[in-house]
Amino acid sequence: MPHYLLSVITPTDGQMPSPEEMAEIGRKLEVFHDELQAAGAWVFAGGLHGPETATVLRPKDGDVLITDGPFAEGKEYLGGLCLIKADDLDAALDWGKRATWATTLPVEVRPFMNTAED
């Protein structure tokens, strides 16, 4: 069964939700994850700390250069991800819609190139 990455896109200039709003988002995400598990579509999901916590590794002159912070500045960053199994792109998009409603943020749906069959 194909695997898809649901990427939660977070705007860099966005306001952090209030603690009450975060609690509601967390509740909706728990329901969403439960639905994924019940449907057999769950593989993995998790939120990420902000891009300021990133460490970038890049090859250079036969060595690896390590730098703090994101590789590139942008208006958006990857705030979380969910790896799912779905029969096809349409099914993955349906899960992506549910993720959008749960997170209140845009979600990018992207298929993996080579996925092992279950």
PDB file of all heavy atoms in Angstrom, residues 1-4 33 36-37 40-46 81-86 112 115 118:
ATOM      1  N   MET A   1       0.850  -1.171   0.000  1.00  0.00           N
ATOM      2  CA  MET A   1       0.000   0.000   0.000  1.00  0.00           C
ATOM      3  C   MET A   1       0.895   1.233   0.000  1.00  0.00           C
ATOM      4  O   MET A   1       1.847   1.301   0.750  1.00  0.00           O
ATOM      5  CB  MET A   1      -0.894  -0.023   1.249  1.00  0.00           C
ATOM      6  CG  MET A   1      -1.821   1.160   1.333  1.00  0.00           C
ATOM      7  SD  MET A   1      -2.981   1.101   2.733  1.00  0.00           S
ATOM      8  CE  MET A   1      -3.990  -0.289   2.291  1.00  0.00           C
ATOM      9  N   PRO A   2       0.600   2.204  -0.845  1.00  0.00           N
ATOM     10  CA  PRO A   2       1.426   3.411  -0.900  1.00  0.00           C
ATOM     11  C   PRO A   2       1.431   4.176   0.422  1.00  0.00           C
ATOM     12  O   PRO A   2       0.462   4.155   1.176  1.00  0.00           O
ATOM     13  CB  PRO A   2       0.761   4.253  -1.997  1.00  0.00           C
ATOM     14  CG  PRO A   2      -0.059   3.305  -2.784  1.00  0.00           C
ATOM     15  CD  PRO A   2      -0.465   2.212  -1.838  1.00  0.00           C
ATOM     16  N   HIS A   3       2.540   4.839   0.674  1.00  0.00           N
ATOM     17  CA  HIS A   3       2.686   5.685   1.857  1.00  0.00           C
ATOM     18  C   HIS A   3       2.710   7.144   1.411  1.00  0.00           C
ATOM     19  O   HIS A   3       3.228   7.467   0.344  1.00  0.00           O
ATOM     20  CB  HIS A   3       3.987   5.361   2.591  1.00  0.00           C
ATOM     21  CG  HIS A   3       3.942   4.078   3.337  1.00  0.00           C
ATOM     22  ND1 HIS A   3       3.950   2.858   2.720  1.00  0.00           N
ATOM     23  CD2 HIS A   3       3.895   3.825   4.655  1.00  0.00           C
ATOM     24  CE1 HIS A   3       3.907   1.901   3.633  1.00  0.00           C
ATOM     25  NE2 HIS A   3       3.884   2.471   4.819  1.00  0.00           N
ATOM     26  N   TYR A   4       2.156   8.002   2.252  1.00  0.00           N
ATOM     27  CA  TYR A   4       2.080   9.430   1.970  1.00  0.00           C
ATOM     28  C   TYR A   4       2.544  10.208   3.192  1.00  0.00           C
ATOM     29  O   TYR A   4       2.316   9.794   4.330  1.00  0.00           O
ATOM     30  CB  TYR A   4       0.641   9.849   1.632  1.00  0.00           C
ATOM     31  CG  TYR A   4       0.133   9.237   0.355  1.00  0.00           C
ATOM     32  CD1 TYR A   4      -0.418   7.961   0.343  1.00  0.00           C
ATOM     33  CD2 TYR A   4       0.231   9.921  -0.845  1.00  0.00           C
ATOM     34  CE1 TYR A   4      -0.871   7.386  -0.829  1.00  0.00           C
ATOM     35  CE2 TYR A   4      -0.224   9.357  -2.026  1.00  0.00           C
ATOM     36  CZ  TYR A   4      -0.768   8.085  -2.014  1.00  0.00           C
ATOM     37  OH  TYR A   4      -1.207   7.520  -3.182  1.00  0.00           O
ATOM     38  N   HIS A  33      -5.761  11.066  14.968  1.00  0.00           N
ATOM     39  CA  HIS A  33      -4.819   9.942  15.059  1.00  0.00           C
ATOM     40  C   HIS A  33      -5.550   8.643  15.393  1.00  0.00           C
ATOM     41  O   HIS A  33      -5.215   7.578  14.846  1.00  0.00           O
ATOM     42  CB  HIS A  33      -3.737  10.241  16.090  1.00  0.00           C
ATOM     43  CG  HIS A  33      -2.819  11.343  15.684  1.00  0.00           C
ATOM     44  ND1 HIS A  33      -2.036  12.022  16.584  1.00  0.00           N
ATOM     45  CD2 HIS A  33      -2.570  11.923  14.484  1.00  0.00           C
ATOM     46  CE1 HIS A  33      -1.339  12.960  15.952  1.00  0.00           C
ATOM     47  NE2 HIS A  33      -1.653  12.915  14.678  1.00  0.00           N
ATOM     48  N   LEU A  36      -7.082   7.429  12.192  1.00  0.00           N
ATOM     49  CA  LEU A  36      -6.058   6.816  11.341  1.00  0.00           C
ATOM     50  C   LEU A  36      -5.739   5.394  11.809  1.00  0.00           C
ATOM     51  O   LEU A  36      -5.655   4.468  10.989  1.00  0.00           O
ATOM     52  CB  LEU A  36      -4.768   7.646  11.362  1.00  0.00           C
ATOM     53  CG  LEU A  36      -4.711   8.908  10.524  1.00  0.00           C
ATOM     54  CD1 LEU A  36      -3.470   9.724  10.888  1.00  0.00           C
ATOM     55  CD2 LEU A  36      -4.712   8.575   9.040  1.00  0.00           C
ATOM     56  N   GLN A  37      -5.575   5.229  13.111  1.00  0.00           N
ATOM     57  CA  GLN A  37      -5.245   3.912  13.650  1.00  0.00           C
ATOM     58  C   GLN A  37      -6.376   2.926  13.417  1.00  0.00           C
ATOM     59  O   GLN A  37      -6.132   1.781  13.007  1.00  0.00           O
ATOM     60  CB  GLN A  37      -4.895   4.023  15.135  1.00  0.00           C
ATOM     61  CG  GLN A  37      -3.578   4.744  15.349  1.00  0.00           C
ATOM     62  CD  GLN A  37      -3.286   5.044  16.809  1.00  0.00           C
ATOM     63  OE1 GLN A  37      -4.070   4.761  17.689  1.00  0.00           O
ATOM     64  NE2 GLN A  37      -2.125   5.648  17.056  1.00  0.00           N
ATOM     65  N   GLY A  40      -6.412   1.609   9.956  1.00  0.00           N
ATOM     66  CA  GLY A  40      -5.207   0.911   9.504  1.00  0.00           C
ATOM     67  C   GLY A  40      -4.308   1.776   8.641  1.00  0.00           C
ATOM     68  O   GLY A  40      -3.439   1.274   7.942  1.00  0.00           O
ATOM     69  N   ALA A  41      -4.507   3.092   8.699  1.00  0.00           N
ATOM     70  CA  ALA A  41      -3.718   4.019   7.883  1.00  0.00           C
ATOM     71  C   ALA A  41      -2.549   4.619   8.649  1.00  0.00           C
ATOM     72  O   ALA A  41      -1.665   5.234   8.053  1.00  0.00           O
ATOM     73  CB  ALA A  41      -4.621   5.142   7.359  1.00  0.00           C
ATOM     74  N   TRP A  42      -2.520   4.469   9.960  1.00  0.00           N
ATOM     75  CA  TRP A  42      -1.498   5.068  10.828  1.00  0.00           C
ATOM     76  C   TRP A  42      -0.139   4.416  10.610  1.00  0.00           C
ATOM     77  O   TRP A  42      -0.019   3.209  10.580  1.00  0.00           O
ATOM     78  CB  TRP A  42      -1.910   4.896  12.277  1.00  0.00           C
ATOM     79  CG  TRP A  42      -0.867   5.264  13.287  1.00  0.00           C
ATOM     80  CD1 TRP A  42       0.065   4.442  13.817  1.00  0.00           C
ATOM     81  CD2 TRP A  42      -0.650   6.538  13.878  1.00  0.00           C
ATOM     82  NE1 TRP A  42       0.849   5.125  14.721  1.00  0.00           N
ATOM     83  CE2 TRP A  42       0.426   6.415  14.774  1.00  0.00           C
ATOM     84  CE3 TRP A  42      -1.268   7.769  13.739  1.00  0.00           C
ATOM     85  CZ2 TRP A  42       0.889   7.478  15.528  1.00  0.00           C
ATOM     86  CZ3 TRP A  42      -0.800   8.820  14.496  1.00  0.00           C
ATOM     87  CH2 TRP A  42       0.268   8.673  15.378  1.00  0.00           C
ATOM     88  N   VAL A  43       0.893   5.232  10.465  1.00  0.00           N
ATOM     89  CA  VAL A  43       2.275   4.760  10.505  1.00  0.00           C
ATOM     90  C   VAL A  43       3.010   5.515  11.615  1.00  0.00           C
ATOM     91  O   VAL A  43       3.564   4.911  12.522  1.00  0.00           O
ATOM     92  CB  VAL A  43       3.002   4.935   9.150  1.00  0.00           C
ATOM     93  CG1 VAL A  43       4.461   4.524   9.265  1.00  0.00           C
ATOM     94  CG2 VAL A  43       2.296   4.134   8.052  1.00  0.00           C
ATOM     95  N   PHE A  44       2.989   6.852  11.549  1.00  0.00           N
ATOM     96  CA  PHE A  44       3.702   7.675  12.525  1.00  0.00           C
ATOM     97  C   PHE A  44       3.219   9.113  12.406  1.00  0.00           C
ATOM     98  O   PHE A  44       2.857   9.564  11.324  1.00  0.00           O
ATOM     99  CB  PHE A  44       5.210   7.624  12.261  1.00  0.00           C
ATOM    100  CG  PHE A  44       6.006   8.545  13.141  1.00  0.00           C
ATOM    101  CD1 PHE A  44       6.339   8.180  14.429  1.00  0.00           C
ATOM    102  CD2 PHE A  44       6.390   9.800  12.692  1.00  0.00           C
ATOM    103  CE1 PHE A  44       7.052   9.041  15.259  1.00  0.00           C
ATOM    104  CE2 PHE A  44       7.108  10.665  13.506  1.00  0.00           C
ATOM    105  CZ  PHE A  44       7.439  10.277  14.792  1.00  0.00           C
ATOM    106  N   ALA A  45       3.251   9.854  13.513  1.00  0.00           N
ATOM    107  CA  ALA A  45       2.939  11.287  13.484  1.00  0.00           C
ATOM    108  C   ALA A  45       3.646  11.983  14.636  1.00  0.00           C
ATOM    109  O   ALA A  45       3.918  11.359  15.668  1.00  0.00           O
ATOM    110  CB  ALA A  45       1.432  11.520  13.578  1.00  0.00           C
ATOM    111  N   GLY A  46       3.934  13.264  14.446  1.00  0.00           N
ATOM    112  CA  GLY A  46       4.542  14.038  15.515  1.00  0.00           C
ATOM    113  C   GLY A  46       4.718  15.486  15.124  1.00  0.00           C
ATOM    114  O   GLY A  46       4.821  15.821  13.951  1.00  0.00           O
ATOM    115  N   LEU A  81       4.433  16.377  11.149  1.00  0.00           N
ATOM    116  CA  LEU A  81       4.239  15.465  10.027  1.00  0.00           C
ATOM    117  C   LEU A  81       3.452  14.251  10.465  1.00  0.00           C
ATOM    118  O   LEU A  81       3.363  13.925  11.644  1.00  0.00           O
ATOM    119  CB  LEU A  81       5.580  15.031   9.439  1.00  0.00           C
ATOM    120  CG  LEU A  81       6.571  14.384  10.398  1.00  0.00           C
ATOM    121  CD1 LEU A  81       6.422  12.879  10.394  1.00  0.00           C
ATOM    122  CD2 LEU A  81       7.971  14.780  10.018  1.00  0.00           C
ATOM    123  N   CYS A  82       2.875  13.612   9.473  1.00  0.00           N
ATOM    124  CA  CYS A  82       2.132  12.386   9.695  1.00  0.00           C
ATOM    125  C   CYS A  82       2.413  11.481   8.504  1.00  0.00           C
ATOM    126  O   CYS A  82       2.222  11.886   7.363  1.00  0.00           O
ATOM    127  CB  CYS A  82       0.644  12.699   9.809  1.00  0.00           C
ATOM    128  SG  CYS A  82      -0.376  11.292  10.228  1.00  0.00           S
ATOM    129  N   LEU A  83       2.888  10.300   8.762  1.00  0.00           N
ATOM    130  CA  LEU A  83       3.147   9.311   7.724  1.00  0.00           C
ATOM    131  C   LEU A  83       1.982   8.335   7.738  1.00  0.00           C
ATOM    132  O   LEU A  83       1.668   7.754   8.788  1.00  0.00           O
ATOM    133  CB  LEU A  83       4.467   8.599   7.996  1.00  0.00           C
ATOM    134  CG  LEU A  83       4.884   7.511   7.029  1.00  0.00           C
ATOM    135  CD1 LEU A  83       5.029   8.059   5.622  1.00  0.00           C
ATOM    136  CD2 LEU A  83       6.182   6.888   7.492  1.00  0.00           C
ATOM    137  N   ILE A  84       1.318   8.180   6.582  1.00  0.00           N
ATOM    138  CA  ILE A  84       0.139   7.322   6.517  1.00  0.00           C
ATOM    139  C   ILE A  84       0.251   6.318   5.375  1.00  0.00           C
ATOM    140  O   ILE A  84       1.064   6.484   4.460  1.00  0.00           O
ATOM    141  CB  ILE A  84      -1.156   8.146   6.325  1.00  0.00           C
ATOM    142  CG1 ILE A  84      -1.154   8.873   4.971  1.00  0.00           C
ATOM    143  CG2 ILE A  84      -1.367   9.107   7.475  1.00  0.00           C
ATOM    144  CD1 ILE A  84      -2.498   9.433   4.562  1.00  0.00           C
ATOM    145  N   LYS A  85      -0.593   5.296   5.436  1.00  0.00           N
ATOM    146  CA  LYS A  85      -0.796   4.364   4.335  1.00  0.00           C
ATOM    147  C   LYS A  85      -2.173   4.664   3.764  1.00  0.00           C
ATOM    148  O   LYS A  85      -3.129   4.858   4.515  1.00  0.00           O
ATOM    149  CB  LYS A  85      -0.767   2.918   4.826  1.00  0.00           C
ATOM    150  CG  LYS A  85       0.558   2.484   5.403  1.00  0.00           C
ATOM    151  CD  LYS A  85       0.520   1.028   5.821  1.00  0.00           C
ATOM    152  CE  LYS A  85      -0.186   0.914   7.163  1.00  0.00           C
ATOM    153  NZ  LYS A  85      -0.105  -0.434   7.751  1.00  0.00           N
ATOM    154  N   ALA A  86      -2.269   4.718   2.446  1.00  0.00           N
ATOM    155  CA  ALA A  86      -3.558   4.967   1.798  1.00  0.00           C
ATOM    156  C   ALA A  86      -3.584   4.233   0.466  1.00  0.00           C
ATOM    157  O   ALA A  86      -2.542   4.031  -0.159  1.00  0.00           O
ATOM    158  CB  ALA A  86      -3.776   6.463   1.583  1.00  0.00           C
ATOM    159  N   PHE A 112       5.366   8.957  -1.249  1.00  0.00           N
ATOM    160  CA  PHE A 112       6.748   8.477  -1.260  1.00  0.00           C
ATOM    161  C   PHE A 112       7.027   7.855  -2.615  1.00  0.00           C
ATOM    162  O   PHE A 112       6.136   7.302  -3.262  1.00  0.00           O
ATOM    163  CB  PHE A 112       6.969   7.442  -0.155  1.00  0.00           C
ATOM    164  CG  PHE A 112       7.249   8.076   1.187  1.00  0.00           C
ATOM    165  CD1 PHE A 112       6.209   8.528   1.974  1.00  0.00           C
ATOM    166  CD2 PHE A 112       8.545   8.227   1.624  1.00  0.00           C
ATOM    167  CE1 PHE A 112       6.457   9.121   3.189  1.00  0.00           C
ATOM    168  CE2 PHE A 112       8.811   8.824   2.847  1.00  0.00           C
ATOM    169  CZ  PHE A 112       7.760   9.276   3.628  1.00  0.00           C
ATOM    170  N   THR A 115       7.623   2.597  -2.053  1.00  0.00           N
ATOM    171  CA  THR A 115       7.042   2.131  -0.806  1.00  0.00           C
ATOM    172  C   THR A 115       6.955   0.619  -0.829  1.00  0.00           C
ATOM    173  O   THR A 115       6.466   0.033  -1.798  1.00  0.00           O
ATOM    174  CB  THR A 115       5.627   2.731  -0.627  1.00  0.00           C
ATOM    175  OG1 THR A 115       5.724   4.152  -0.690  1.00  0.00           O
ATOM    176  CG2 THR A 115       5.043   2.333   0.703  1.00  0.00           C
ATOM    177  N   ASP A 118       2.748  -3.958   1.908  1.00  0.00           N
ATOM    178  CA  ASP A 118       2.437  -4.582   3.201  1.00  0.00           C
ATOM    179  C   ASP A 118       2.105  -6.050   2.995  1.00  0.00           C
ATOM    180  O   ASP A 118       1.634  -6.485   2.025  1.00  0.00           O
ATOM    181  CB  ASP A 118       1.241  -3.884   3.865  1.00  0.00           C
ATOM    182  CG  ASP A 118       1.626  -2.479   4.334  1.00  0.00           C
ATOM    183  OD1 ASP A 118       2.812  -2.236   4.550  1.00  0.00           O
ATOM    184  OD2 ASP A 118       0.709  -1.658   4.481  1.00  0.00           O
TER     185      ASP A 118
END
